[in-house]
Amino acid sequence: MIKEEKQVNIQTIDAELLARMFLAGAKNLDAKKEWINELNVFPVPDGDTGTNMSMTIMSAAKEVSAVQPPVMKDLAKAIASGSLRGARGNSGVILSQLFRGFTKVIAHYDKLDKLIICEAFQKACETAYKAVMKPKEGTILTVAKGAADKALELSCDDAYSMEDYIAAIVEEAERVLALTPEMLPVLKQAGVVDSGGQGLVEVLKGAFDGYMGKEISMDFEKPQTVVTVKPVPAEESSIKFGYCTEFIIMLEKEFGEQAETDFKDYLMSIGDSLVVVADDEIVKVHVHTNDPGMAIQRALTYGQLSNMKIDNMRLEHHEKVIKEAEKLAAQQAEEAKKEMKEVGFISVSVGDGMGEIFRELGADYLIEGGQTMNPSTEDMLQAISHVHARTIFILPNNKNIVLAANQARDLTEAPG
């Protein structure tokens, strides 16, 4: 745990402080991964963005923790290598590229000031955008760019201390995140912000808490202000390419610029959501395709494969829909239980006049019926389901209705 110890007038960040900030960001993201999963509707609504981003950053956190004593060059290598090798999912790979670009800059310094941090943010964005075959605005990339732009804007402003500088960057990332539904219609229809962007904001917020010396808690309650996710229309939630395919190529032959371009073109011909990252002796690949075998076969022409993962996104989406339906049903049941009265009344009556009288007397539900139109047991059960009371009295207006009412009683479970 990071002890409560507010930083005072710290204008540069050394390796020890950066390690603490990174680990705090990782912990904050991990604590909120399930909530972030619920926001996931783009590029496919498979509900795993938070998990993927958490696994990505936690892979790096493990390597960062092993760097003792913290040295900036070693720390940069641990962050870049750990996040790339552990990268999962579209957002996870992009997050690893943000880290990779950031660490390319900081590796050359022992301490970071505002100008170096600014340069690192610019390199982070450049690296991440370059890795994505078809960058889409309204995503984690947009949030990262907003943070980088603010870092550039304030880098030479002497009125901003390091604390103010970092706080302003985080605030701008949150502001841009709030705008993502206006950039991607699927987000607006679902009533959510971009899940990958939210994940990045949580990393930045956690890192700022680490800078300030705040205690980092793994406890988390979902913000009350977040809009409940609404179902995405069928045409938006359809998944064109069903398998999220990821692997690392351990290069055994030259993988130059032309080879990388040819490989990317081939993968785009069989899928989408492509992210390919070539780094020294390995290549990290993420692609959505309907034939993972074709992607794997082509990759094998460059070397051996490791860290292979293939997920059926259609199945994951189906499971997510079921999970959300069960959760909604449980919430509705809980709300009904809280509002349950001790006694409720259902009245069988004919005509608006009699119905109005029963309503004034306090009837909770009215069933239209009488001598020539006897309500069925099913009518009674439906009425009972609408009255949240521990004891329900049915007032029949005809003796022929009593039997149906008794059958409905016998078929109804007493509320808990």
Side-chain angles (χ1 to χ4, degrees):
M1 278 293 179
I2 297 173
K3 295 181 180 179
E4 184 73 33
E5 182 184 352
K6 190 178 187 303
Q7 307 301 317
V8 180
N9 197 29
I10 294 179
Q11 298 308 309
T12 59
I13 297 173
D14 60 17
E16 183 178 357
L17 179 52
L18 183 64
R20 179 166 62 186
M21 292 172 66
F22 183 82
L23 294 175
K27 288 181 179 180
N28 194 47
L29 173 60
D30 187 60
K32 300 173 183 178
K33 60 187 176 185
E34 293 300 333
W35 168 53
I36 294 171
N37 283 340
E38 293 180 18
L39 304 177
N40 179 201
V41 297
F42 181 86
V44 289
D46 50 355
D48 62 359
T49 293
T51 300
N52 287 339
M53 293 185 74
S54 173
M55 294 184 73
T56 299
I57 199 170
M58 282 303 184
S59 175
K62 182 178 180 181
E63 294 198 23
V64 167
S65 297
V67 178
Q68 295 297 333
V71 176
M72 196 69 75
K73 183 178 179 180
D74 297 337
L75 193 61
K77 182 178 179 181
I79 293 173
S81 175
S83 61
L84 179 60
R85 291 179 180 275
R88 289 174 60 99
N90 200 55
S91 294
V93 176
I94 294 173
L95 181 64
S96 76
Q97 291 314 287
L98 289 169
F99 290 147
R100 181 178 176 227
F102 192 91
T103 56
K104 278 184 178 179
V105 173
I106 68 169
H108 301 289
Y109 303 93
D110 293 327
K111 293 185 177 181
L112 314 178
D113 60 16
K114 291 193 297 181
L115 289 175
I116 296 171
I117 291 174
C118 171
E119 183 184 351
F121 265 97
Q122 308 313 308
K123 191 64 175 178
C125 272
E126 176 190 329
T127 305
Y129 269 90
K130 183 180 178 182
V132 180
M133 197 67 177
K134 293 183 178 180
K136 190 80 172 179
E137 296 304 329
T139 64
I140 181 176
L141 291 171
T142 309
V143 176
K145 188 175 185 301
D149 288 345
K150 181 59 68 171
L152 178 61
E153 176 190 338
L154 302 178
S155 60
C156 295
D157 192 332
D158 294 335
Y160 281 78
S161 65
M162 180 64 80
E163 177 182 331
D164 296 334
Y165 184 60
I166 299 174
I169 292 172
V170 176
E171 183 179 345
E172 179 65 10
E174 290 186 282
R175 188 190 72 81
V176 174
L177 174 67
L179 298 177
T180 56
E182 302 303 320
M183 304 177 199
L184 280 176
V186 66
L187 299 178
K188 192 168 187 177
Q189 291 173 24
V192 297
V193 295
D194 178 65
S195 55
Q198 185 72 65
L200 178 59
V201 165
E202 298 310 324
V203 173
L204 294 174
K205 289 171 69 175
F208 182 57
D209 284 344
Y211 171 84
M212 296 297 293
K214 293 182 180 179
E215 182 175 336
I216 307 302
S217 173
M218 293 298 287
D219 296 330
F220 170 67
E221 292 183 5
K222 186 189 301 184
Q224 297 300 314
T225 55
V226 173
V227 181
T228 301
V229 179
K230 293 174 281 190
V232 181
E235 65 271 18
E236 295 289 348
S237 62
S238 61
I239 299 174
K240 183 178 180 181
F241 296 103
Y243 296 95
C244 178
T245 306
E246 295 179 281
F247 49 81
I248 290 177
I249 306 174
M250 314 297 290
L251 292 173
E252 296 177 344
K253 60 187 294 187
E254 185 178 351
F255 193 75
E257 187 175 326
Q258 186 58 51
E260 182 176 347
T261 299
D262 292 343
F263 185 48
K264 287 180 177 178
D265 289 344
Y266 174 75
L267 293 178
M268 283 302 297
S269 72
I270 62 169
D272 66 5
S273 294
L274 176 64
V275 184
V276 174
V277 183
D279 186 44
D280 297 329
E281 299 177 350
I282 69 171
V283 178
K284 175 71 179 185
V285 179
H286 169 279
V287 64
H288 294 172
T289 178
N290 285 327
D291 195 337
M294 294 178 68
I296 290 171
Q297 286 178 359
R298 178 58 67 94
L300 284 169
T301 64
Y302 298 103
Q304 298 184 50
L305 306 186
S306 69
N307 295 55
M308 299 176 64
K309 181 180 76 72
I310 300 173
D311 292 329
N312 186 330
M313 295 184 294
R314 294 188 180 98
L315 180 60
E316 289 177 342
H317 174 55
H318 180 65
E319 291 173 346
K320 180 186 177 186
V321 170
I322 293 176
K323 183 179 178 180
E324 289 176 350
E326 291 175 343
K327 184 176 180 180
L328 179 60
Q331 289 175 342
Q332 292 174 337
E334 187 64 26
E335 289 175 4
K337 187 175 181 180
K338 290 179 181 178
E339 298 172 0
M340 190 167 289
K341 304 188 299 183
E342 286 300 320
V343 178
F345 292 91
I346 297 171
S347 176
V348 182
S349 65
V350 178
D352 294 337
M354 289 299 297
E356 187 61 31
I357 292 174
F358 278 112
R359 284 194 183 91
E360 291 177 357
L361 291 173
D364 297 284
Y365 195 93
L366 299 179
I367 300 176
E368 186 77 14
Q371 176 66 35
T372 59
M373 186 175 63
N374 298 155
S376 66
T377 300
E378 180 62 31
D379 293 331
M380 300 287 183
L381 290 171
Q382 184 177 357
I384 291 171
S385 70
H386 282 83
V387 178
H388 303 305
R390 299 187 182 282
T391 302
I392 298 175
F393 292 95
I394 298 178
L395 308 177
N397 60 356
N398 187 281
K399 63 181 181 181
N400 292 334
I401 300 173
V402 174
L403 182 59
N406 287 336
Q407 287 179 328
R409 176 200 61 198
D410 295 339
L411 290 172
T412 302
E413 294 183 4

